[in-house]
Amino acid sequence: MTDRSFLEWPFFEDRHRELATALETWCVENLGTVDHSDTDAATVALVRMLGEGGWLRYSGPDPEAPAPLDVRSLCLIRETLARHDGLADFAFAMQGLGMGAVSLSGSSGQREWLARTRKGAALSAFALSEPASGSDVASLATTAVRDGSHYVLNGEKTWISNGGIADVYTVFARTGEAEGARGLTAFLVPADTPGLEITERLEVMAPHPLARLTFRDLRIGADAVIGTPGEGFKVAMSVLDVFRSTVAAAALGFARAALDASLERVRARQLFGAPLSELQMVQGHIADMALDVDASALLIYRAAWTKDTGAARVSREAAMAKLFATDQAQRVIDKAVQLHGGDGVRVGSVPERLYREIRALRIYEGASDVQKVVIARATLKNT
Ligand code: COS
């Protein structure tokens, strides 16, 4: 039984507690039957289910009645989904991240896409990383050249989640208003735009839809610009400020799943004539795991609450949450493998699945090393 006492923390309102309880029930009733043998099909099915369940309403604002994203709700949903099914968390997360720039800075025409992504009728993707620029966003090389009322895009993106199955992509390209970070622009590009090709599908140790995209003379109207030309770097960073806390929440969901499985294991397993849970060495592991889980949750919901209560920038808080929660979840899951012995490395066991699922979270949406840069810069600037 998962510890839900954190829901009583003052970061939350009753609507958050109700959301977490209702989603928990929905997960138990709906997620057990999803066939994961075909990753693309499973992702599409999960997006449809999450849409029908009403959960994708939280992934972006209602275009008819725009309101700020509620980061606490996003985190609670990701934490809960990740605890039950990593691909369900991924499916939810990408609807938010893919439309994140539109949610924060989109025009009313662009926001019409939200009516579809919030229902699960369309899938979205966030195309920032490139073969030669992952952490160093300001150096990205995809170009968008103005041609009358259009832009012409050329270049490559890689590690794009939902690549190949998305209906719409948020694409960051160099428009050259100034050097480096000050010369980038965000565009909203429908997947069927001529000139957009899926040039490679990428396979990873915890299967997710991922692809490399190529833009060859892709022409798109200037109304596809999200926000202001030249401000694309800031658009990307403000989206990541919101969604990095939610990556941390997904890590927390995986860590809670590992702790739950470990508690069950150490209570049931007998060693030297008593349950494993009576051995002090085992208790030491359980204590470390419980501490890592609670400390992660505190940082995550501090970051989410700070954003929800009006802070303009939460780069430092979100980076702390992501760095800490993803690192500690890795540690918690490793301990779960250890406590399960041989069963922990058996293909298909809960610890084995979590061990594969957690690793990428320390890399995507800003590697742990980048989070340290963000935290150090903010600390040096403010104190
Ligand atoms: N919100 C709004 N504006 C921001 C911002 C944020 N969170 N972060 C930075 N900016 C602004 C800065 O204020 C600065 O503005 P001015 O030029 O007006 O002063 C501008 O953006 C450039 O910022 P900075 O100098 O910090 O840029 P760097 O190139 O040094 O970027 C890091 C630094 C490494 C932090 C950044 O490139 C980064 O986060 N990289 C990781 C990218 C990532 O997450 N990739 C994964 C893709 S999604 S899977």
Side-chain angles (χ1 to χ4, degrees), residues 97 126 128-129 133-139 159-161 180-182 231 233-241 244 312-315 363-367 370-371 373-374 377 381:
L97 181 67
F126 185 75
L128 180 63
S129 300
S133 90
S135 294
D136 185 6
V137 173
S139 75
W159 300 115
I160 306 309
S161 294
R182 292 187 176 150
E231 296 280 311
F233 184 91
K234 289 184 187 174
V235 170
M237 291 301 131
S238 56
V239 170
L240 292 172
D241 267 5
R244 278 180 181 156
R313 286 272 299 263
V314 288
S315 309
I363 299 170
Y364 68 63
E365 285 180 50
V370 167
Q371 308 309 331
V373 170
V374 173
R377 283 186 185 178
K381 197 167 150 193

Side-chain angles (χ1 to χ4, degrees), residues 61-246:
D62 180 352
E64 303 296 321
L69 288 165
D70 187 73
V71 187
R72 286 166 293 176
S73 298
L74 289 172
C75 289
L76 282 170
I77 293 173
R78 288 204 65 180
E79 151 167 14
T80 308
L81 290 174
R83 186 157 45 74
H84 287 273
D85 179 343
L87 200 61
D89 163 59
F90 169 86
F92 174 82
M94 286 316 303
Q95 295 300 92
L97 181 67
M99 292 307 286
V102 169
S103 296
L104 299 180
S105 312
S107 65
S108 57
Q110 292 163 351
R111 280 169 180 253
E112 282 171 20
W113 272 99
L114 286 164
R116 297 177 60 200
T117 57
R118 291 171 87 245
K119 272 196 292 207
L123 276 75
S124 66
F126 185 75
L128 180 63
S129 300
E130 298 188 354
S133 90
S135 294
D136 185 6
V137 173
S139 75
L140 67 79
T142 295
T143 54
V145 177
R146 184 87 194 219
D147 179 19
S149 60
H150 286 73
Y151 283 86
V152 181
L153 271 68
N154 279 288
E156 264 194 336
K157 297 285 173 185
T158 194
W159 300 115
I160 306 309
S161 294
N162 273 353
I165 60 169
D167 298 285
V168 66
Y169 294 85
T170 294
V171 179
F172 295 86
R174 180 166 303 287
T175 36
E177 289 75 7
E179 291 293 299
R182 292 187 176 150
L184 308 182
T185 300
F187 295 88
L188 191 64
V189 179
D192 57 4
T193 311
L196 169 53
E197 279 174 49
I198 307 300
T199 32
E200 187 184 2
R201 293 300 302 269
L202 306 165
E203 288 189 24
V204 287
M205 63 204 227
H208 295 81
L210 273 174
R212 186 160 60 92
L213 319 179
T214 303
F215 304 91
R216 286 198 184 92
D217 293 329
L218 179 146
R219 283 180 74 78
I220 190 117
D223 58 355
V225 169
I226 306 173
T228 308
E231 296 280 311
F233 184 91
K234 289 184 187 174
V235 170
M237 291 301 131
S238 56
V239 170
L240 292 172
D241 267 5
V242 170
F243 286 95
R244 278 180 181 156
S245 301
T246 78

Side-chain angles (χ1 to χ4, degrees), residues 287-344:
D288 287 342
M289 294 163 90
L291 177 60
D292 287 343
V293 162
D294 269 19
S296 299
L298 280 163
L299 281 172
I300 291 164
Y301 291 109
R302 187 268 298 250
W305 173 86
T306 306
K307 182 72 184 161
D308 289 343
T309 49
R313 286 272 299 263
V314 288
S315 309
R316 174 176 168 274
E317 291 83 353
M320 283 185 170
K322 182 177 187 281
L323 173 66
F324 190 82
T326 56
D327 277 358
Q328 301 317 303
Q330 184 91 51
R331 210 166 78 125
V332 170
I333 291 166
D334 190 63
K335 283 184 186 296
V337 171
Q338 198 68 20
L339 289 171
H340 280 75
D343 289 336

